Amino acid sequence: MYKIVSIPGDGIGPEVVAGAVAVLRQLSAKHGFEIVIEEHPFGGASYDLHGEMLTTATLEACRKCDAVLLGAVGGPKWESLPHEHKPEAALLKIRKELGLFANLRPAKVYDALLDASSLKPDVVQGTDFLVFRELTGGIYFGQPRGFDENKGWNTMVYERHEVERIARLAFEAARKRKGEVISIDKANVLEVSQFWRNVVHTVHADYPDVKLSDMYVDNAAMQIVRNPKQFDVIVTGNLFGDILSDIAGMITGSLGMLPSASIGTKHALYEPIHGSAPDIAGQNKANPIATIASAAMMFEHSFKKPEIASEIYRAIEAALAAGLRTADIAAPGDPVVSTTEMTDAIVRHLGA
Ligand code: NAD
Ligand code: IPM
Ligand code: MN
């Protein structure tokens, strides 16, 4: 039995999570394993119900389950709240409380979508890299932070153990891939980045079979767009990983395609990398694939069932190969399907 807590959140969150839940239910029926899905409010949706972005009940449920499935949070309705009360702060809190220090963001191009990328097909074809984004440290969490009328400030700090544990995960992952890690930093300017680089190299001593190189983040942003195939495993800090993974999203055609797994030693949470997309929320237009693929990552990382994950990826591929396109991945003139039509097609391709 798998106990999953779903926290759909705001904007398109509920629409895309419904897609992943439909896939989970189909797999449960097909294979005869039991999946219990308990839904809890989170973000703006929770604030509107309970006056809190993250209630103790939701957090406790997340602690007790086998895996969490998250949609997205945030939106114009809650944007003017004080910083510490914004939905985004609740997302950081849940990541910190659950100890989810590693965010895995795989950028893989589906052949059927080569024309959906804003880059040339021969540039993106065959792209397959995995970003390890540090998720519970760096400038997102550093103290002091704040602003007054005349200045604003944040602090970027990394402690040795924080860099060591994410570096280890990246090296381990590289061993199962092409064996190449690129660590991305800004060591030419930032002391914290020089420290990051030093620690990554120290950890590398335990992985002599893996090739390690360093890249400055500005160059990396350019290289991802110039030649994304050069990357195998990327390891980087919280803020750089946030930005670089959105860039990676456009290689695959859309932010709506990129899943992620947020992993710690005790808990795991699965979330698309995109946000709540207020511009298309409630219109049945959102691409559910990033969230459905996040459910696939759940089978890989939490349930140790890579064969079920592959089934999900194959069903996504089949729906794309059959020509189904939500608006974000449609070429001009392509017929466009809705969130629920894309979901239904993927569920159908999973088979009974
Ligand atoms: P966004 O990712 O929500 O949207 C950026 C653009 O991509 C929009 O045009 C949107 O329509 C499109 N898009 C995103 N996901 C899509 C999908 N599945 N299908 C089709 N199109 C999709 O980023 P934003 O507009 O900068 O942020 C909106 C809100 O979401 C903000 O409040 C932000 O803080 C929040 N946010 C939350 C998360 C999260 O919960 N993990 C992540 C990013 C942003
Ligand atoms: C993401 C988002 C979040 C982040 C925000 C909403 C806090 O952009 O998951 O990528 O920056 O981590
Ligand atoms: Mn982001």
Side-chain angles (χ1 to χ4, degrees), residues 12 72-75 88 91 255-256 271 273-280 286-287 328:
I12 61 169
V73 290
E88 288 81 357
L91 182 57
L255 267 188
E271 52 180 326
I273 81 154
H274 62 70
S276 58
D279 52 335
I280 55 166
N287 186 346
D328 57 314

Side-chain angles (χ1 to χ4, degrees), residues 25-314:
R25 298 226 181 279
Q26 181 74 7
L27 288 167
S28 156
K30 179 178 173 188
H31 294 289
F33 47 68
E34 196 186 344
I35 298 185
V36 176
I37 301 171
E38 204 179 278
E39 191 177 305
H40 286 267
F42 181 52
S46 170
Y47 183 78
D48 291 350
L49 274 176
H50 303 294
E52 274 180 85
M53 295 287 174
L54 174 60
T55 63
T56 315
T58 295
L59 184 58
E60 281 313 304
C62 291
R63 281 194 212 284
K64 284 186 194 136
C65 67
D66 298 317
V68 182
L69 178 67
L70 167 85
V73 290
K77 192 172 170 191
W78 309 282
E79 237 165 45
S80 48
L81 287 169
H83 240 77
E84 62 277 20
H85 297 304
K86 286 190 205 290
E88 288 81 357
L91 182 57
L92 299 194
K93 182 170 180 196
I94 208 168
R95 289 171 177 168
K96 190 77 169 179
E97 289 285 330
L98 298 177
L100 310 173
F101 66 87
N103 184 222
L104 283 58
R105 298 188 159 187
K108 202 169 171 168
V109 172
Y110 292 90
D111 279 342
L113 283 191
L114 281 177
D115 292 322
S117 174
S118 46
L119 303 178
K120 292 191 192 103
D122 60 313
V123 172
V124 296
Q125 186 166 34
T127 295
D128 177 3
F129 64 85
L130 177 57
V131 179
F132 280 78
R133 170 190 177 194
E134 199 290 325
L135 201 61
T136 52
I139 197 163
Y140 275 51
F141 291 90
Q143 294 292 347
R145 60 195 299 153
F147 67 93
D148 60 25
E149 230 166 88
N150 301 312
K151 65 174 182 184
W153 60 95
N154 283 92
T155 310
M156 188 152 157
V157 184
Y158 268 114
E159 294 193 18
R160 175 172 294 279
H161 75 100
E162 293 177 310
V163 184
E164 278 174 359
R165 63 189 178 183
I166 187 95
R168 275 194 198 287
L169 285 189
F171 287 125
E172 301 281 346
R175 277 190 169 157
K176 295 181 196 140
R177 298 172 52 100
K178 285 185 227 143
E180 290 175 19
V181 172
I182 298 188
S183 172
I184 294 174
D185 62 37
K186 190 74 186 174
N188 47 348
V189 176
L190 303 176
E191 286 80 356
V192 58
S193 275
Q194 184 64 57
F195 175 77
W196 171 283
R197 189 179 282 208
N198 295 347
V199 176
V200 171
H201 281 265
T202 312
V203 175
H204 181 228
D206 293 341
Y207 302 86
D209 49 320
V210 177
K211 179 170 169 252
L212 170 66
S213 36
D214 305 291
M215 200 180 268
Y216 296 128
V217 61
D218 46 353
N219 181 32
M222 184 276 279
Q223 294 293 344
I224 289 175
V225 178
R226 188 184 72 84
N227 176 19
K229 280 184 278 229
Q230 70 186 287
F231 295 97
D232 179 25
V233 173
I234 286 174
V235 63
T236 190
N238 206 340
L239 180 61
F240 299 156
D242 180 45
I243 298 166
L244 295 177
S245 54
D246 263 37
I247 299 179
M250 272 325 289
I251 291 166
T252 67
S254 165
L255 267 188
M257 295 298 298
L258 274 198
S260 89
S262 302
I263 309 259
T265 45
K266 282 200 215 118
H267 304 285
L269 176 151
Y270 298 86
E271 52 180 326
I273 81 154
H274 62 70
S276 58
D279 52 335
I280 55 166
Q283 300 172 35
N284 201 15
K285 279 185 185 165
N287 186 346
I289 292 179
T291 314
I292 291 173
S294 300
M297 293 187 82
M298 185 185 287
F299 279 96
E300 279 175 81
H301 295 277
S302 284
F303 306 154
K304 311 288 177 218
K305 289 213 174 294
E307 69 284 2
I308 303 280
S310 304
E311 252 181 72
I312 300 175
Y313 293 127
R314 277 200 303 274

